[in-house]
Amino acid sequence: MKSPLSRSVDEITGSRRLRRMRKSAWSRRLVQENRLTVDDLIWPIFIIEGKDRREPIAAMPGVFRLSPDVAVKEAERAAKLGIPAIATFPNVENELRDQTGSHILDPQNLINRTTRAIKEAVPEIGIITDAALDPFTSHGHDGILRDGVIVNDETVEQVTAAAVIQAANGADIIAPSDMMDGRIGAIRDALDANGFQDVAIMSYATKFHSAFYGPYRDAIGTGGRLQGDKKTYYLDHANSDEAVREAEQDILEGADMLMVKPGLPYLDIIRRLKDELRMPTFAYQVSGEYSMIKAAGDNGWIDGEKAMLESLLAFKRAGCDGILTYFAPEVAQILKG
């Protein structure tokens, strides 16, 4: 009997030649298991006060803070590219920030005015708003801070009131990122009671305590003001079962969609949620992920465009129905081209 080392490749593999379908571009396309399309993209944008302002964000090359009028133009561009939805995040003026984030309850605040302006000009694009308090607090936390503790129930009450106001100003999806217990159920009940039964909830069901949020915090102006950390309410990045329990709870409370944040370091979480819960599942390719790919590409260390597309297809392979990504307009243009 021949040893395995003395046998030919044909004898070992028989007719099983897996490379056959990789030989040509047409055959690779024919058997490709996952595809990225423009329908998979949600574009997060940052908003600032003023007019005709496009302010670069140093930590996120190619990303800008936009005044509401410029945000409207960018929403028009996104709609023409076929991007289904945008998610808006405000950088409010310092004098409007306080210990409780009370400015989030102002119907005339930056995020609500921007939503109204976009909806009036580009009604066909979806608008996703975040009811979390961190852009509005003086301490940079996502909740109300009392004696060094983020108080859960008082925060939920304020986040819920903010969600109703955002819906009244035209938000199509409320995506609360604060990770307070019970927020999804409270928001669902309040939306329904106020006539917003058709406004959906995208739950930041598994938002992990992560080192990848730094550029985002610079973008919304909370980078230097955070007191302590967010470990008491964000998920421990060592935990997978806890992430599933969080998502299950949010589904029971009325979430329409689940989100995993950050993205690439948590592909295993995306796969578990999709396999076990079978809900519409999204990932947020966060600022740190964007900046790493962008910086490495700009420095010639990697092929930035190929790495960008590969990273987004990885989300689809893991089970995502869509991806929040700052690359959205660039990717949409490539896919259209």
Side-chain angles (χ1 to χ4, degrees):
M1 181 177 179
K2 292 182 179 180
S3 72
L5 293 178
S6 65
R7 296 164 66 195
S8 70
V9 171
D10 275 331
E11 288 176 304
I12 294 170
T13 64
S15 61
R16 296 185 298 276
R17 292 280 182 151
L18 298 179
R19 288 184 57 194
R20 286 192 188 102
M21 297 308 295
R22 304 174 196 156
K23 184 178 69 173
S24 303
W26 68 263
S27 59
R28 291 192 297 271
R29 287 163 46 212
L30 203 61
V31 298
Q32 185 173 329
E33 297 174 25
N34 296 283
R35 282 181 169 78
L36 179 72
T37 76
V38 70
D39 295 333
D40 299 315
L41 304 175
I42 297 170
W43 185 22
I45 62 173
F46 298 105
I47 312 298
I48 51 172
E49 291 286 2
K51 189 172 182 180
D52 198 26
R53 291 181 68 188
R54 184 186 294 269
E55 185 176 278
I57 301 167
M60 300 180 70
V63 177
F64 301 84
R65 302 180 190 93
L66 310 171
S67 56
D69 58 319
V70 178
V72 168
K73 294 176 183 176
E74 290 295 84
E76 290 172 341
R77 179 167 73 101
K80 288 177 182 177
L81 287 169
I83 295 171
I86 58 175
T88 54
F89 298 94
N91 183 327
V92 304
E93 296 172 340
N94 288 336
E95 58 268 24
L96 297 174
R97 303 173 194 250
D98 60 24
Q99 282 291 104
T100 64
S102 61
H103 187 57
I104 197 172
L105 300 177
D106 185 350
Q108 301 303 320
N109 68 25
L110 178 59
I111 203 69
N112 292 320
R113 283 186 281 113
T114 302
T115 299
R116 294 198 302 269
I118 293 174
K119 266 300 170 190
E120 182 177 351
V122 200
E124 67 271 25
I125 201 164
I127 300 180
I128 302 171
T129 58
D130 184 359
L133 305 184
D134 52 323
F136 300 93
T137 57
S138 55
H139 44 73
H141 278 286
D142 299 45
I144 295 171
L145 189 64
R146 301 278 188 213
D147 300 321
V149 176
I150 300 298
V151 291
N152 191 94
D153 295 358
E154 192 175 344
T155 298
V156 169
E157 184 178 347
Q158 183 146 306
V159 164
T160 299
V164 172
I165 293 169
Q166 290 173 1
N169 281 277
D172 299 291
I173 297 174
I174 305 297
S177 68
D178 54 285
M179 289 299 290
M180 297 295 118
D181 289 335
R183 75 204 190 284
I184 300 300
I187 291 172
R188 184 71 273 158
D189 288 346
L191 290 174
D192 291 352
N194 285 274
F196 300 114
Q197 294 91 345
D198 293 334
V199 173
I201 299 176
M202 176 185 284
S203 168
Y204 283 65
T206 61
K207 185 178 183 181
F208 289 86
H209 187 266
S210 173
F212 288 93
Y213 300 141
Y216 169 87
R217 289 173 182 163
D218 288 343
I220 65 168
T222 63
R225 66 179 72 244
L226 185 63
Q227 300 173 17
D229 57 43
K230 303 190 178 188
K231 291 181 179 179
T232 65
Y233 51 102
Y234 285 6
L235 278 167
D236 187 334
H237 51 249
N239 295 351
S240 175
D241 290 343
E242 184 183 10
V244 175
R245 292 198 300 272
E246 282 278 4
E248 287 174 330
Q249 180 170 312
D250 287 357
I251 293 170
L252 291 173
E253 292 181 15
D256 300 285
M257 295 161 276
L258 304 175
M259 185 203 295
V260 177
K261 183 180 180 180
L264 282 178
Y266 300 92
L267 294 180
D268 61 316
I269 306 297
I270 296 167
R271 185 75 267 166
R272 281 198 68 181
L273 296 189
K274 193 64 178 176
D275 286 347
E276 296 180 29
L277 304 179
R278 300 187 178 278
M279 285 283 289
T281 303
F282 295 76
Y284 197 140
Q285 185 180 50
V286 299
S287 59
E289 298 173 72
Y290 169 88
S291 295
M292 287 193 302
I293 294 171
K294 194 71 174 176
D298 288 349
N299 279 284
W301 299 332
I302 61 174
D303 185 315
E305 181 176 305
K306 288 181 180 178
M308 169 186 70
L309 293 171
E310 181 180 341
S311 70
L312 295 173
L313 192 58
F315 291 122
K316 294 291 292 181
R317 190 186 65 244
C320 275
D321 298 285
I323 308 124
L324 287 85
T325 176
Y326 302 100
F327 288 120
E330 185 177 351
V331 174
Q333 192 66 58
I334 291 169
L335 294 174
K336 281 177 69 73

